Amino acid sequence: MQQKKDEVFNALITEGEKEFLAKGYQQASLRKIVKNANTTLGNFYNYFSNKEAFFDELVRPEWNKFNSFFNEHEKLEHADYLWDVTDIGEWRRVLGQMVKGLFPRFSSGFILLIEGSMGTKYENVRNEIIEILKG
């Protein structure tokens, strides 16, 4: 078995993200991804068991980040003690931490998650997000 190399893995991730963003999961071509990553389809399977596992590698971190964002936001909504802070310096510090935590930086993987996941276990994520936002 060929040794796994970080540069091959990273090239697959980069090219996979491009292909999935352009065509969505169902229309994306593994052959095109591996060609653009300068590797082979056989080598691809040294890194991922199948196309869906590969897609999961691209979007799972964004899905987890989104879920954490809403879990933390829920905790902050119930943090009434923050309103008891009377020192203006402490208030600025606490407010700064809250604001920083409210706006995570989502990557293009998040767009892929909500726009290109038809045919995967994530295909209903867009509707789930809409329902969460409706409250």
Side-chain angles (χ1 to χ4, degrees):
M1 181 167 99
Q2 183 178 352
Q3 181 182 6
K4 296 180 183 181
K5 297 179 183 174
D6 287 342
E7 55 270 8
V8 173
F9 178 84
N10 292 334
L12 286 169
I13 294 296
T14 299
E15 295 304 324
E17 187 173 272
K18 288 179 192 175
E19 178 75 0
F20 286 124
L21 281 169
K23 297 183 179 174
Y25 174 79
Q26 292 177 322
Q27 300 301 316
S29 166
L30 285 182
R31 292 188 188 282
K32 183 174 180 183
I33 292 167
V34 299
K35 179 181 177 192
N36 290 342
N38 295 317
T39 191
T40 64
L41 196 55
N43 195 30
F44 169 89
Y45 289 108
N46 287 325
Y47 296 87
F48 306 99
S49 58
N50 55 41
K51 184 178 178 181
E52 189 161 358
F54 180 47
F55 185 84
D56 186 64
E57 181 75 23
L58 294 171
V59 300
R60 184 179 358 94
E62 294 301 316
W63 180 238
N64 291 341
K65 189 186 306 181
F66 181 79
N67 282 322
S68 293
F69 167 68
F70 272 97
N71 290 334
E72 291 303 312
H73 180 67
E74 182 69 22
K75 288 178 192 174
L76 287 175
E77 285 182 344
H78 301 295
D80 295 332
Y81 70 92
L82 294 176
W83 300 110
D84 295 333
V85 176
T86 56
D87 177 79
I88 191 69
E90 180 66 7
W91 175 250
R92 286 182 180 147
R93 187 188 67 74
V94 170
L95 184 60
Q97 288 176 343
M98 286 176 58
V99 169
K100 191 178 187 182
L102 287 177
F103 300 105
R105 295 184 186 261
F106 292 108
S107 71
S108 55
F110 188 73
I111 295 168
L112 181 56
L113 179 66
I114 61 174
E115 292 291 331
S117 60
M118 185 62 72
T120 74
K121 66 182 181 182
Y122 298 101
E123 67 185 354
N124 293 318
V125 163
R126 180 186 205 125
N127 293 333
E128 290 176 36
I129 291 170
I130 290 169
E131 289 304 313
I132 289 169
L133 294 174
K134 284 181 181 177

